[in-house]
Amino acid sequence: MSAQIIDGKVIAETIRGEVKAEVEAMQAKYGKVPGLATVLVGERKDSQSYVRSKKKACAEVGMTSFGADLPANISQAELLRVVRDLNANPDVHGILVQLPLPDHIDEEQILSAISIEKDVDGFHPINIGRLSMKRREPLFVPCTPKGCIELLLRTGVQIEGKQAVVLGRSNIVGLPVAMLLLHRNATLTICHSRTKDLPGVVRQADILIAAVGRAEMVRGDWVKPGAVVIDVGINSVDDPSNPKGYRLVGDVAFDEVKEVAAAITPVPGGVGPMTIAMLLRNTLDGAKRAVGME
Ligand code: GUN
């Protein structure tokens, strides 16, 4: 039997509608709308495209977006000044520094300079630290991991007591999503490039989060029948039959795994749209805190 396809586009659209309604309520009651600042350094095509999508999504829900497009050779001191100016701007409720940054920039220092009240990416060491401890509340949770959990919740997947396997241990997805699963009482395994018998470990998963960035690495026989599979990967592979010359695939071999899993996210149209929806949600939450809206 073929798996239920978890439609991230539809779920993200619902969330964007919810956010839009709250933005309108804020505008009516406080005469203010949330503002998101995106900081882009350099000319990476993928980063430019992500930032464009984020700004467009802001406009669609009635938020203001502020953009800083900076040259790749910007100095650490200048970039710090940009972040501090945004911290001081009362119309900015969220600050997102698009990663990766050029090699000469000290990423940790830049992320640490963002006000924790405006850290809509949730990457500030205090927010990540709180996420990593029991009974601590980060002001923001990173968007892609939060989107993965939201997909599970809105699909009615029970997390508590389930065997969850996270494939990948990045700061942006693997580590924070593992923390979120643990807080929801999953039994957790994190796999990485040194894991022995990777297929055997992945096969134990009731819930599998694949976030390694390797095209179609997870095969059909790696997956336990009835598992729920969330595919975070966005990999470009050559495809001469496609007018663009390439197509996007996940970390999971979709056609094989959908015959085994109970539910699976497609790529594109699964986790991707959720990241932006969660960014809007975080920005709205930051703005609500700033104006004192319940
Ligand atoms: N680069 C890849 N994913 C992300 C993300 O979620 N936030 C930021 N700031 N940069 C990224």
Side-chain angles (χ1 to χ4, degrees):
M1 208 184 68
S2 207
Q4 174 193 352
I5 308 300
I6 302 174
D7 192 335
K9 257 167 97 172
V10 166
I11 296 175
E13 194 53 48
T14 304
I15 293 169
R16 283 149 75 134
E18 292 165 5
V19 169
K20 188 163 190 269
E22 288 195 55
V23 170
E24 283 162 5
M26 178 181 285
Q27 165 83 298
K29 190 159 175 205
Y30 298 90
K32 272 182 180 288
V33 295
L36 172 68
T38 50
V39 178
L40 175 64
V41 181
E43 301 195 343
R44 279 179 65 115
K45 290 277 173 282
D46 57 347
S47 292
Q48 286 173 334
S49 153
Y50 290 137
V51 166
R52 250 195 324 272
S53 307
K54 288 167 185 176
K55 287 182 179 165
K56 183 163 164 270
C58 277
E60 282 168 7
V61 296
M63 292 185 182
T64 309
S65 59
F66 300 79
D69 285 2
L70 305 167
N73 65 356
I74 191 171
S75 70
Q76 181 83 10
E78 284 171 296
L79 185 53
L80 272 177
R81 197 168 323 123
V82 170
V83 169
R84 288 182 181 140
D85 286 349
L86 293 170
N87 282 343
N89 184 340
D91 296 327
V92 171
H93 305 101
I95 302 171
L96 178 147
V97 177
Q98 187 66 30
L99 302 177
L101 290 167
D103 288 345
H104 70 280
I105 298 287
D106 177 346
E107 177 190 295
E108 187 178 355
Q109 191 190 33
I110 299 297
L111 296 181
S112 303
I114 297 172
S115 155
I116 62 166
E117 284 82 15
K118 298 188 179 187
D119 175 36
V120 284
D121 252 333
F123 294 154
H124 188 288
I126 291 181
N127 280 323
I128 283 287
R130 289 184 182 166
L131 180 69
S132 306
M133 298 178 86
K134 285 207 287 193
R135 291 183 292 279
R136 302 280 199 280
E137 281 295 324
L139 290 169
F140 298 100
V141 170
C143 303
T144 304
K146 186 169 165 167
C148 294
I149 301 298
E150 198 68 26
L151 283 175
L152 294 173
L153 296 178
R154 292 194 186 225
T155 310
V157 175
Q158 193 197 328
I159 300 174
E160 179 157 324
K162 292 293 168 63
Q163 181 69 49
V165 173
V166 176
L167 187 49
R169 53 177 163 177
S170 70
N171 287 335
I172 292 180
V173 185
L175 289 177
V177 84
M179 289 304 145
L180 292 173
L181 289 162
L182 202 53
H183 293 327
R184 290 185 176 273
N185 300 317
T187 301
L188 179 70
T189 305
I190 304 176
C191 304
H192 45 76
S193 54
R194 310 282 169 86
T195 298
K196 297 215 165 60
D197 184 20
L198 195 51
V201 178
V202 169
R203 214 175 285 123
Q204 293 169 10
D206 301 311
I207 297 171
L208 172 64
I209 314 277
V212 266
R214 299 266 305 268
E216 300 179 324
M217 181 181 179
V218 177
R219 312 307 309 190
D221 63 356
W222 291 31
V223 173
K224 173 156 73 171
V228 175
V229 179
I230 305 291
D231 189 353
V232 185
I234 302 179
N235 310 289
S236 160
V237 295
D238 291 342
D239 182 357
S241 73
N242 190 302
K244 289 181 177 163
Y246 69 91
R247 68 194 157 89
L248 296 179
V249 299
D251 292 347
V252 174
F254 183 84
D255 288 339
E256 293 179 16
V257 173
K258 80 174 185 342
E259 299 306 322
V260 185
I264 184 170
T265 59
V267 177
V271 174
M274 292 299 288
T275 297
I276 293 187
M278 293 296 109
L279 176 65
L280 298 175
R281 167 49 65 198
N282 279 354
T283 305
L284 172 66
D285 288 349
K288 284 168 72 174
R289 269 197 292 265
V291 303
M293 183 173 168
E294 287 299 308

